[in-house]
Amino acid sequence: MKNLRAFVLLAILVSSCDDGDVLVTSFNFEDASLQFCEGASSLVFFKINTESNESLSLQINAEDAVFAETDSLQFALDGTTTFLNYRTYNTAPDAGYFCNSIPPTSPTVLQDYFAPDGTATLLVTAVFNDNDNIEEDIESTLDTDMDGLLDYYDFDDDGDNVPTAQEIGGDPNNPIDTDGDGTPNYLDKDDDGDGVPTRNEATKDDPNPQNNITDPAVGADYLNPEIEVETPIEFYIEHSYDFVSSVVLFVNNAVFSNGEEEITQESLDFGNITNFATGTTLITPAFPTM
Ligand SMILES: [Ca+2]
Ligand SMILES: [Ca+2]
Ligand SMILES: [Ca+2]
Ligand SMILES: [Ca+2]
């Protein structure tokens, strides 16, 4: 996880105390950006107010895989693996303070509030890209080959086991249409129009149609209408697509306590981090049974 960029949406400044005392804490993180670091088995989100020397931090346990898809993730605070800390210091901590396996000796913690109860919510938004050089609408629900991967992140749109990037030719705005039927090869299940689907102009030993060449002078059989040898290939090749995920974090019903005083926060808006996680998803779509 990298490419940290953070923005603060808004901050909540409501502090209350059950015995009515006025707290010297400010609980002000309005101008502090959300940051994070990864510990051995946990993820720590934090905000630092460098003016008032205070920090708000949340530790959660989450597998990296959960950030590869758009989802709303809820984490119940339990006081052991998932919890919040609100601290004040003699001087402001830096980002390295929060994921140290050995608690740093400085800065000195003046007040330490711990919240073992509440609910943290992470809204993950993942944007997919199949890198197939076709400009595709990520709002579209079109799934040409009905393999469960929408066209905008399906690197083989027509499911013929020849990736789109290798079917469009040199000009994405004028993609190759071998049989001239008006459907470009990357959307045509039978590229040469010989009646044998491209996927089936391959062999069981090598399901890549590009490698099945009877006449080298013409090229692969799936682009040679004179060759009509059919071998049923009833599976798809492994697909890959990249993702870039951003997160929005908020916490509800947190009750902070330092043993003497309590601070209740019904709603804590931590803000967001764009480009929180990037990666590549590999998936072999199930072959549809018809
Ligand atoms: Ca698809
Ligand atoms: Ca294809
Ligand atoms: Ca065609
Ligand atoms: Ca052929």
Side-chain angles (χ1 to χ4, degrees), residues 70-136:
T70 296
D71 204 353
S72 172
L73 308 170
Q74 296 226 312
F75 301 86
L77 273 58
D78 60 14
T80 53
T81 62
T82 309
F83 52 83
L84 280 163
N85 283 103
Y86 165 65
R87 293 188 179 121
T88 64
Y89 310 84
N90 65 334
T91 179
D94 60 20
Y97 178 88
F98 294 91
C99 278
N100 240 307
S101 52
I102 302 160
T105 52
S106 77
T108 302
V109 176
L110 302 180
Q111 290 171 291
D112 191 359
Y113 289 82
F114 180 66
D117 294 306
T119 306
T121 302
L122 266 174
L123 302 178
V124 182
T125 303
V127 178
F128 299 154
N129 184 2
D130 57 12
N131 301 303
D132 67 3
N133 300 325
I134 299 281
E135 235 174 79
E136 288 161 302

Short mmCIF file of all heavy atoms in Angstrom, two decimals, residues 70-136:
data_model
loop_
_atom_site.label_atom_id
_atom_site.label_comp_id
_atom_site.label_asym_id
_atom_site.label_seq_id
_atom_site.Cartn_x
_atom_site.Cartn_y
_atom_site.Cartn_z
N THR A 70 -14.68 -2.85 -4.19
CA THR A 70 -15.54 -1.84 -3.58
C THR A 70 -16.42 -2.51 -2.54
O THR A 70 -17.08 -3.51 -2.81
CB THR A 70 -16.41 -1.16 -4.65
OG1 THR A 70 -15.54 -0.47 -5.56
CG2 THR A 70 -17.39 -0.19 -4.04
N ASP A 71 -16.38 -1.97 -1.32
CA ASP A 71 -17.14 -2.62 -0.26
C ASP A 71 -17.26 -1.66 0.93
O ASP A 71 -16.52 -0.69 1.04
CB ASP A 71 -16.42 -3.90 0.19
CG ASP A 71 -17.36 -4.91 0.83
OD1 ASP A 71 -18.55 -4.59 1.05
OD2 ASP A 71 -16.90 -6.03 1.13
N SER A 72 -18.22 -1.95 1.79
CA SER A 72 -18.33 -1.25 3.06
C SER A 72 -17.93 -2.23 4.15
O SER A 72 -18.61 -3.23 4.37
CB SER A 72 -19.78 -0.77 3.26
OG SER A 72 -19.92 -0.25 4.57
N LEU A 73 -16.81 -1.96 4.81
CA LEU A 73 -16.27 -2.90 5.79
C LEU A 73 -16.52 -2.36 7.19
O LEU A 73 -16.22 -1.20 7.48
CB LEU A 73 -14.76 -3.08 5.57
CG LEU A 73 -14.30 -3.44 4.16
CD1 LEU A 73 -12.79 -3.34 4.06
CD2 LEU A 73 -14.76 -4.85 3.80
N GLN A 74 -17.05 -3.22 8.05
CA GLN A 74 -17.30 -2.80 9.42
C GLN A 74 -16.40 -3.57 10.37
O GLN A 74 -16.21 -4.78 10.23
CB GLN A 74 -18.76 -3.05 9.78
CG GLN A 74 -19.71 -2.21 8.94
CD GLN A 74 -20.79 -1.55 9.76
OE1 GLN A 74 -21.42 -2.21 10.58
NE2 GLN A 74 -21.00 -0.27 9.56
N PHE A 75 -15.85 -2.86 11.32
CA PHE A 75 -14.97 -3.48 12.31
C PHE A 75 -15.50 -3.10 13.69
O PHE A 75 -15.55 -1.92 14.04
CB PHE A 75 -13.54 -2.97 12.15
CG PHE A 75 -12.94 -3.25 10.80
CD1 PHE A 75 -13.14 -2.36 9.74
CD2 PHE A 75 -12.20 -4.40 10.57
CE1 PHE A 75 -12.59 -2.62 8.49
CE2 PHE A 75 -11.66 -4.67 9.31
CZ PHE A 75 -11.85 -3.77 8.28
N ALA A 76 -15.89 -4.12 14.45
CA ALA A 76 -16.35 -3.86 15.82
C ALA A 76 -15.13 -3.70 16.71
O ALA A 76 -14.25 -4.56 16.73
CB ALA A 76 -17.22 -5.02 16.30
N LEU A 77 -15.06 -2.60 17.41
CA LEU A 77 -13.95 -2.41 18.34
C LEU A 77 -14.08 -3.45 19.45
O LEU A 77 -15.17 -3.71 19.96
CB LEU A 77 -13.98 -0.99 18.92
CG LEU A 77 -13.25 0.09 18.11
CD1 LEU A 77 -13.80 0.21 16.71
CD2 LEU A 77 -13.32 1.43 18.82
N ASP A 78 -12.94 -4.10 19.79
CA ASP A 78 -13.00 -5.15 20.80
C ASP A 78 -11.98 -4.94 21.93
O ASP A 78 -11.90 -5.74 22.86
CB ASP A 78 -12.78 -6.53 20.15
CG ASP A 78 -11.44 -6.64 19.44
OD1 ASP A 78 -10.57 -5.76 19.67
OD2 ASP A 78 -11.26 -7.60 18.67
N GLY A 79 -11.18 -3.91 21.81
CA GLY A 79 -10.24 -3.61 22.90
C GLY A 79 -8.96 -4.42 22.85
O GLY A 79 -8.04 -4.17 23.63
N THR A 80 -8.86 -5.39 21.94
CA THR A 80 -7.63 -6.18 21.87
C THR A 80 -6.95 -6.06 20.49
O THR A 80 -5.80 -5.65 20.40
CB THR A 80 -7.89 -7.67 22.17
OG1 THR A 80 -8.94 -8.14 21.32
CG2 THR A 80 -8.28 -7.87 23.61
N THR A 81 -7.70 -6.42 19.43
CA THR A 81 -7.11 -6.29 18.08
C THR A 81 -7.62 -5.04 17.38
O THR A 81 -7.00 -4.57 16.44
CB THR A 81 -7.47 -7.51 17.21
OG1 THR A 81 -8.88 -7.57 17.05
CG2 THR A 81 -6.98 -8.80 17.85
N THR A 82 -8.76 -4.54 17.83
CA THR A 82 -9.40 -3.40 17.18
C THR A 82 -9.77 -2.37 18.24
O THR A 82 -10.60 -2.67 19.12
CB THR A 82 -10.66 -3.86 16.42
OG1 THR A 82 -10.32 -4.97 15.59
CG2 THR A 82 -11.22 -2.75 15.56
N PHE A 83 -9.13 -1.22 18.19
CA PHE A 83 -9.39 -0.22 19.23
C PHE A 83 -8.91 1.15 18.78
O PHE A 83 -8.16 1.29 17.81
CB PHE A 83 -8.71 -0.61 20.54
CG PHE A 83 -7.24 -0.91 20.40
CD1 PHE A 83 -6.30 0.10 20.39
CD2 PHE A 83 -6.80 -2.23 20.25
CE1 PHE A 83 -4.95 -0.18 20.24
CE2 PHE A 83 -5.46 -2.52 20.10
CZ PHE A 83 -4.52 -1.49 20.09
N LEU A 84 -9.36 2.14 19.52
CA LEU A 84 -8.97 3.53 19.26
C LEU A 84 -8.14 4.04 20.43
O LEU A 84 -8.34 3.63 21.58
CB LEU A 84 -10.22 4.40 19.20
CG LEU A 84 -11.07 4.44 17.94
CD1 LEU A 84 -12.43 5.02 18.30
CD2 LEU A 84 -10.40 5.28 16.87
N ASN A 85 -7.22 4.93 20.11
CA ASN A 85 -6.52 5.67 21.16
C ASN A 85 -6.61 7.15 20.87
O ASN A 85 -6.50 7.58 19.73
CB ASN A 85 -5.03 5.29 21.21
CG ASN A 85 -4.79 3.95 21.89
OD1 ASN A 85 -4.55 2.96 21.22
ND2 ASN A 85 -4.86 3.93 23.21
N TYR A 86 -6.81 7.90 21.93
CA TYR A 86 -6.69 9.35 21.83
C TYR A 86 -5.63 9.75 22.85
O TYR A 86 -5.73 9.39 24.03
CB TYR A 86 -8.04 10.02 22.15
CG TYR A 86 -7.90 11.48 22.41
CD1 TYR A 86 -7.49 12.36 21.39
CD2 TYR A 86 -8.16 12.02 23.66
CE1 TYR A 86 -7.34 13.70 21.63
CE2 TYR A 86 -8.02 13.37 23.91
CZ TYR A 86 -7.60 14.21 22.89
OH TYR A 86 -7.45 15.54 23.14
N ARG A 87 -4.59 10.42 22.38
CA ARG A 87 -3.48 10.74 23.29
C ARG A 87 -3.07 12.20 23.16
O ARG A 87 -3.17 12.78 22.08
CB ARG A 87 -2.25 9.87 22.98
CG ARG A 87 -2.45 8.39 23.28
CD ARG A 87 -1.13 7.64 23.14
NE ARG A 87 -1.31 6.22 23.44
CZ ARG A 87 -1.05 5.22 22.60
NH1 ARG A 87 -0.59 5.48 21.39
NH2 ARG A 87 -1.24 3.97 22.96
N THR A 88 -2.58 12.73 24.26
CA THR A 88 -1.92 14.03 24.22
C THR A 88 -0.47 13.81 24.66
O THR A 88 -0.17 12.88 25.43
CB THR A 88 -2.60 15.06 25.14
OG1 THR A 88 -2.48 14.61 26.50
CG2 THR A 88 -4.08 15.22 24.79
N TYR A 89 0.41 14.66 24.15
CA TYR A 89 1.85 14.47 24.37
C TYR A 89 2.50 15.79 24.78
O TYR A 89 1.92 16.87 24.63
CB TYR A 89 2.52 14.01 23.06
CG TYR A 89 1.87 12.84 22.37
CD1 TYR A 89 0.79 13.03 21.52
CD2 TYR A 89 2.36 11.54 22.53
CE1 TYR A 89 0.19 11.97 20.86
CE2 TYR A 89 1.78 10.47 21.87
CZ TYR A 89 0.69 10.69 21.04
OH TYR A 89 0.10 9.63 20.38
N ASN A 90 3.75 15.66 25.22
CA ASN A 90 4.51 16.88 25.52
C ASN A 90 4.98 17.57 24.24
O ASN A 90 5.22 18.76 24.21
CB ASN A 90 5.70 16.56 26.44
CG ASN A 90 6.73 15.66 25.78
OD1 ASN A 90 6.40 14.88 24.87
ND2 ASN A 90 7.98 15.76 26.23
N THR A 91 5.11 16.76 23.19
CA THR A 91 5.44 17.32 21.87
C THR A 91 4.82 16.40 20.82
O THR A 91 4.54 15.23 21.10
CB THR A 91 6.97 17.46 21.69
OG1 THR A 91 7.23 17.98 20.39
CG2 THR A 91 7.67 16.13 21.83
N ALA A 92 4.61 16.92 19.62
CA ALA A 92 3.85 16.13 18.63
C ALA A 92 4.63 14.90 18.17
O ALA A 92 5.83 15.01 17.88
CB ALA A 92 3.51 17.01 17.43
N PRO A 93 3.97 13.76 18.08
CA PRO A 93 4.62 12.57 17.52
C PRO A 93 4.69 12.68 15.99
O PRO A 93 3.96 13.47 15.39
CB PRO A 93 3.68 11.43 17.94
CG PRO A 93 2.34 12.07 18.02
CD PRO A 93 2.57 13.49 18.45
N ASP A 94 5.59 11.91 15.40
CA ASP A 94 5.59 11.85 13.93
C ASP A 94 4.94 10.54 13.50
O ASP A 94 4.56 9.70 14.33
CB ASP A 94 7.00 12.01 13.36
CG ASP A 94 7.95 10.94 13.84
OD1 ASP A 94 7.49 9.87 14.31
OD2 ASP A 94 9.18 11.16 13.76
N ALA A 95 4.81 10.35 12.18
CA ALA A 95 4.10 9.18 11.67
C ALA A 95 4.73 7.87 12.11
O ALA A 95 4.04 6.87 12.32
CB ALA A 95 4.04 9.24 10.14
N GLY A 96 6.04 7.86 12.28
CA GLY A 96 6.73 6.63 12.67
C GLY A 96 6.33 6.12 14.05
O GLY A 96 6.55 4.95 14.38
N TYR A 97 5.73 7.00 14.83
CA TYR A 97 5.36 6.63 16.20
C TYR A 97 4.33 5.50 16.24
O TYR A 97 4.34 4.69 17.15
CB TYR A 97 4.79 7.89 16.88
CG TYR A 97 4.29 7.69 18.30
CD1 TYR A 97 5.14 7.82 19.38
CD2 TYR A 97 2.94 7.38 18.54
CE1 TYR A 97 4.68 7.65 20.67
CE2 TYR A 97 2.48 7.21 19.82
CZ TYR A 97 3.35 7.34 20.89
OH TYR A 97 2.88 7.16 22.16
N PHE A 98 3.45 5.43 15.21
CA PHE A 98 2.24 4.62 15.35
C PHE A 98 2.36 3.15 14.99
O PHE A 98 1.53 2.35 15.38
CB PHE A 98 1.10 5.27 14.56
CG PHE A 98 0.70 6.59 15.15
CD1 PHE A 98 1.29 7.77 14.73
CD2 PHE A 98 -0.22 6.63 16.19
CE1 PHE A 98 0.96 8.98 15.31
CE2 PHE A 98 -0.56 7.84 16.77
CZ PHE A 98 0.04 9.01 16.33
N CYS A 99 3.37 2.77 14.23
CA CYS A 99 3.47 1.36 13.88
C CYS A 99 4.75 0.73 14.41
O CYS A 99 5.22 -0.29 13.90
CB CYS A 99 3.37 1.18 12.36
SG CYS A 99 1.66 1.16 11.78
N ASN A 100 5.28 1.33 15.46
CA ASN A 100 6.47 0.77 16.09
C ASN A 100 6.09 -0.43 16.95
O ASN A 100 5.17 -0.33 17.75
CB ASN A 100 7.12 1.83 16.98
CG ASN A 100 8.53 2.12 16.53
OD1 ASN A 100 9.32 1.19 16.39
ND2 ASN A 100 8.83 3.39 16.31
N SER A 101 6.77 -1.55 16.76
CA SER A 101 6.46 -2.71 17.59
C SER A 101 6.86 -2.45 19.05
O SER A 101 6.24 -2.95 19.98
CB SER A 101 7.16 -3.96 17.06
OG SER A 101 8.53 -3.71 16.89
N ILE A 102 7.91 -1.66 19.25
CA ILE A 102 8.30 -1.26 20.61
C ILE A 102 7.85 0.19 20.80
O ILE A 102 8.22 1.07 20.03
CB ILE A 102 9.83 -1.34 20.79
CG1 ILE A 102 10.31 -2.77 20.51
CG2 ILE A 102 10.25 -0.88 22.18
CD1 ILE A 102 11.77 -2.88 20.18
N PRO A 103 7.00 0.43 21.81
CA PRO A 103 6.48 1.80 22.00
C PRO A 103 7.64 2.78 22.17
O PRO A 103 8.50 2.59 23.01
CB PRO A 103 5.66 1.68 23.28
CG PRO A 103 5.33 0.24 23.41
CD PRO A 103 6.47 -0.51 22.79
N PRO A 104 7.68 3.82 21.35
CA PRO A 104 8.75 4.81 21.47
C PRO A 104 8.71 5.50 22.83
O PRO A 104 7.64 5.68 23.41
CB PRO A 104 8.42 5.80 20.34
CG PRO A 104 7.52 5.07 19.42
CD PRO A 104 6.74 4.13 20.28
N THR A 105 9.88 5.86 23.33
CA THR A 105 9.95 6.51 24.65
C THR A 105 9.63 7.99 24.55
O THR A 105 9.30 8.63 25.55
CB THR A 105 11.35 6.33 25.26
OG1 THR A 105 12.32 6.76 24.29
CG2 THR A 105 11.59 4.89 25.64
N SER A 106 9.76 8.55 23.34
CA SER A 106 9.37 9.95 23.19
C SER A 106 8.50 10.08 21.93
O SER A 106 8.66 9.31 21.00
CB SER A 106 10.60 10.85 23.08
OG SER A 106 11.15 10.76 21.77
N PRO A 107 7.58 11.00 21.88
CA PRO A 107 7.32 11.98 22.94
C PRO A 107 6.64 11.34 24.16
O PRO A 107 6.16 10.22 24.10
CB PRO A 107 6.37 12.96 22.24
CG PRO A 107 5.67 12.13 21.21
CD PRO A 107 6.68 11.14 20.72
N THR A 108 6.61 12.08 25.23
CA THR A 108 5.97 11.61 26.46
C THR A 108 4.45 11.75 26.36
O THR A 108 3.94 12.79 25.95
CB THR A 108 6.47 12.45 27.66
OG1 THR A 108 7.88 12.35 27.72
CG2 THR A 108 5.85 11.95 28.96
N VAL A 109 3.76 10.65 26.67
CA VAL A 109 2.29 10.69 26.65
C VAL A 109 1.80 11.36 27.93
O VAL A 109 2.15 10.93 29.04
CB VAL A 109 1.72 9.25 26.54
CG1 VAL A 109 0.20 9.29 26.61
CG2 VAL A 109 2.17 8.60 25.24
N LEU A 110 1.02 12.39 27.78
CA LEU A 110 0.48 13.10 28.94
C LEU A 110 -0.87 12.53 29.35
O LEU A 110 -1.15 12.33 30.52
CB LEU A 110 0.33 14.60 28.63
CG LEU A 110 1.64 15.31 28.22
CD1 LEU A 110 1.35 16.79 27.93
CD2 LEU A 110 2.70 15.17 29.31
N GLN A 111 -1.71 12.27 28.33
CA GLN A 111 -3.02 11.69 28.61
C GLN A 111 -3.26 10.58 27.59
O GLN A 111 -2.97 10.75 26.40
CB GLN A 111 -4.13 12.74 28.48
CG GLN A 111 -4.09 13.77 29.59
CD GLN A 111 -5.05 14.90 29.27
OE1 GLN A 111 -4.84 15.68 28.34
NE2 GLN A 111 -6.14 14.97 30.03
N ASP A 112 -3.79 9.47 28.07
CA ASP A 112 -4.01 8.33 27.18
C ASP A 112 -5.43 7.81 27.36
O ASP A 112 -5.77 7.26 28.42
CB ASP A 112 -2.98 7.23 27.51
CG ASP A 112 -2.97 6.12 26.46
OD1 ASP A 112 -3.77 6.20 25.50
OD2 ASP A 112 -2.16 5.19 26.61
N TYR A 113 -6.25 8.04 26.38
CA TYR A 113 -7.64 7.55 26.40
C TYR A 113 -7.76 6.38 25.45
O TYR A 113 -7.26 6.40 24.34
CB TYR A 113 -8.61 8.64 25.96
CG TYR A 113 -8.78 9.77 26.95
CD1 TYR A 113 -7.85 10.80 27.00
CD2 TYR A 113 -9.86 9.81 27.83
CE1 TYR A 113 -7.99 11.84 27.90
CE2 TYR A 113 -10.02 10.84 28.73
CZ TYR A 113 -9.08 11.86 28.77
OH TYR A 113 -9.22 12.88 29.65
N PHE A 114 -8.46 5.36 25.91
CA PHE A 114 -8.58 4.12 25.16
C PHE A 114 -10.06 3.85 24.91
O PHE A 114 -10.89 4.02 25.80
CB PHE A 114 -7.97 3.00 26.03
CG PHE A 114 -8.00 1.63 25.42
CD1 PHE A 114 -7.25 1.33 24.29
CD2 PHE A 114 -8.75 0.61 26.02
CE1 PHE A 114 -7.26 0.05 23.75
CE2 PHE A 114 -8.75 -0.67 25.48
CZ PHE A 114 -8.02 -0.95 24.36
N ALA A 115 -10.39 3.48 23.68
CA ALA A 115 -11.79 3.19 23.35
C ALA A 115 -11.92 1.74 22.88
O ALA A 115 -11.57 1.43 21.75
CB ALA A 115 -12.31 4.14 22.29
N PRO A 116 -12.38 0.86 23.75
CA PRO A 116 -12.53 -0.54 23.38
C PRO A 116 -13.86 -0.88 22.75
O PRO A 116 -14.07 -2.01 22.30
CB PRO A 116 -12.39 -1.26 24.73
CG PRO A 116 -12.95 -0.30 25.72
CD PRO A 116 -12.70 1.09 25.18
N ASP A 117 -14.78 0.07 22.73
CA ASP A 117 -16.11 -0.18 22.16
C ASP A 117 -16.42 0.83 21.06
O ASP A 117 -15.96 1.96 21.12
CB ASP A 117 -17.20 -0.09 23.23
CG ASP A 117 -17.06 -1.20 24.26
OD1 ASP A 117 -17.00 -2.37 23.85
OD2 ASP A 117 -16.96 -0.87 25.45
N GLY A 118 -17.26 0.38 20.13
CA GLY A 118 -17.66 1.24 19.03
C GLY A 118 -17.54 0.48 17.73
O GLY A 118 -17.21 -0.71 17.71
N THR A 119 -17.83 1.15 16.63
CA THR A 119 -17.77 0.51 15.31
C THR A 119 -17.02 1.40 14.34
O THR A 119 -17.34 2.58 14.19
CB THR A 119 -19.19 0.28 14.76
OG1 THR A 119 -19.95 -0.44 15.73
CG2 THR A 119 -19.14 -0.52 13.47
N ALA A 120 -16.02 0.81 13.71
CA ALA A 120 -15.29 1.53 12.66
C ALA A 120 -15.82 1.07 11.31
O ALA A 120 -16.06 -0.12 11.10
CB ALA A 120 -13.80 1.26 12.76
N THR A 121 -16.01 2.01 10.40
CA THR A 121 -16.48 1.67 9.05
C THR A 121 -15.48 2.20 8.03
O THR A 121 -15.08 3.37 8.08
CB THR A 121 -17.86 2.30 8.78
OG1 THR A 121 -18.78 1.82 9.77
CG2 THR A 121 -18.37 1.90 7.39
N LEU A 122 -15.06 1.32 7.15
CA LEU A 122 -14.18 1.69 6.04
C LEU A 122 -14.95 1.52 4.74
O LEU A 122 -15.39 0.42 4.42
CB LEU A 122 -12.96 0.77 6.00
CG LEU A 122 -11.68 1.20 6.71
CD1 LEU A 122 -10.67 0.05 6.65
CD2 LEU A 122 -11.09 2.45 6.09
N LEU A 123 -15.14 2.62 4.03
CA LEU A 123 -15.77 2.54 2.71
C LEU A 123 -14.66 2.46 1.68
O LEU A 123 -13.88 3.40 1.53
CB LEU A 123 -16.65 3.77 2.46
CG LEU A 123 -17.77 4.01 3.48
CD1 LEU A 123 -18.52 5.30 3.13
CD2 LEU A 123 -18.72 2.83 3.52
N VAL A 124 -14.58 1.32 1.02
CA VAL A 124 -13.53 1.10 0.02
C VAL A 124 -14.12 1.29 -1.37
O VAL A 124 -15.17 0.72 -1.69
CB VAL A 124 -12.96 -0.34 0.13
CG1 VAL A 124 -11.83 -0.54 -0.87
CG2 VAL A 124 -12.47 -0.63 1.55
N THR A 125 -13.48 2.12 -2.16
CA THR A 125 -13.88 2.27 -3.57
C THR A 125 -12.71 1.84 -4.45
O THR A 125 -11.65 2.46 -4.42
CB THR A 125 -14.26 3.73 -3.89
OG1 THR A 125 -15.30 4.13 -3.01
CG2 THR A 125 -14.75 3.85 -5.33
N ALA A 126 -12.92 0.75 -5.18
CA ALA A 126 -11.86 0.22 -6.05
C ALA A 126 -12.21 0.52 -7.50
O ALA A 126 -13.35 0.29 -7.93
CB ALA A 126 -11.72 -1.29 -5.85
N VAL A 127 -11.27 1.05 -8.24
CA VAL A 127 -11.45 1.31 -9.67
C VAL A 127 -10.58 0.32 -10.44
O VAL A 127 -9.38 0.19 -10.16
CB VAL A 127 -11.06 2.77 -10.02
CG1 VAL A 127 -11.19 3.01 -11.52
CG2 VAL A 127 -11.94 3.74 -9.24
N PHE A 128 -11.21 -0.39 -11.38
CA PHE A 128 -10.52 -1.44 -12.12
C PHE A 128 -10.06 -0.96 -13.50
O PHE A 128 -10.70 -0.11 -14.11
CB PHE A 128 -11.43 -2.65 -12.34
CG PHE A 128 -11.92 -3.30 -11.08
CD1 PHE A 128 -13.12 -4.01 -11.07
CD2 PHE A 128 -11.19 -3.22 -9.90
CE1 PHE A 128 -13.57 -4.63 -9.91
CE2 PHE A 128 -11.64 -3.84 -8.74
CZ PHE A 128 -12.83 -4.55 -8.75
N ASN A 129 -9.00 -1.55 -13.99
CA ASN A 129 -8.49 -1.24 -15.32
C ASN A 129 -7.88 -2.51 -15.92
O ASN A 129 -7.01 -3.13 -15.31
CB ASN A 129 -7.43 -0.14 -15.22
CG ASN A 129 -6.91 0.30 -16.58
OD1 ASN A 129 -7.36 -0.18 -17.63
ND2 ASN A 129 -5.97 1.21 -16.58
N ASP A 130 -8.36 -2.88 -17.13
CA ASP A 130 -7.85 -4.11 -17.75
C ASP A 130 -6.69 -3.85 -18.72
O ASP A 130 -6.16 -4.79 -19.33
CB ASP A 130 -8.97 -4.87 -18.48
CG ASP A 130 -9.66 -4.01 -19.54
OD1 ASP A 130 -9.13 -2.94 -19.88
OD2 ASP A 130 -10.72 -4.43 -20.03
N ASN A 131 -6.30 -2.57 -18.86
CA ASN A 131 -5.15 -2.21 -19.71
C ASN A 131 -5.25 -2.77 -21.13
O ASN A 131 -4.25 -3.19 -21.71
CB ASN A 131 -3.84 -2.71 -19.07
CG ASN A 131 -3.63 -2.13 -17.68
OD1 ASN A 131 -3.60 -0.92 -17.51
ND2 ASN A 131 -3.52 -3.00 -16.68
N ASP A 132 -6.47 -2.78 -21.69
CA ASP A 132 -6.62 -3.36 -23.04
C ASP A 132 -6.60 -2.30 -24.14
O ASP A 132 -6.86 -2.61 -25.31
CB ASP A 132 -7.88 -4.22 -23.13
CG ASP A 132 -9.17 -3.41 -23.01
OD1 ASP A 132 -9.11 -2.17 -22.91
OD2 ASP A 132 -10.25 -4.04 -23.04
N ASN A 133 -6.29 -1.05 -23.77
CA ASN A 133 -6.17 0.06 -24.73
C ASN A 133 -7.49 0.51 -25.33
O ASN A 133 -7.52 1.38 -26.19
CB ASN A 133 -5.20 -0.29 -25.87
CG ASN A 133 -3.80 -0.58 -25.35
OD1 ASN A 133 -3.36 0.03 -24.39
ND2 ASN A 133 -3.12 -1.53 -25.96
N ILE A 134 -8.60 -0.08 -24.88
CA ILE A 134 -9.92 0.36 -25.34
C ILE A 134 -10.47 1.33 -24.30
O ILE A 134 -10.42 1.05 -23.11
CB ILE A 134 -10.90 -0.84 -25.47
CG1 ILE A 134 -10.38 -1.85 -26.50
CG2 ILE A 134 -12.29 -0.36 -25.83
CD1 ILE A 134 -10.61 -1.48 -27.93
N GLU A 135 -10.98 2.47 -24.75
CA GLU A 135 -11.60 3.40 -23.83
C GLU A 135 -12.96 2.84 -23.44
O GLU A 135 -13.83 2.67 -24.29
CB GLU A 135 -11.78 4.77 -24.51
CG GLU A 135 -11.15 5.90 -23.71
CD GLU A 135 -11.21 7.21 -24.45
OE1 GLU A 135 -12.28 7.82 -24.43
OE2 GLU A 135 -10.18 7.59 -25.05
N GLU A 136 -13.12 2.53 -22.17
CA GLU A 136 -14.36 1.88 -21.75
C GLU A 136 -15.01 2.65 -20.61
O GLU A 136 -14.34 3.24 -19.78
CB GLU A 136 -14.07 0.43 -21.33
CG GLU A 136 -13.75 -0.45 -22.52
CD GLU A 136 -13.02 -1.73 -22.14
OE1 GLU A 136 -11.95 -1.64 -21.54
OE2 GLU A 136 -13.53 -2.80 -22.46
#
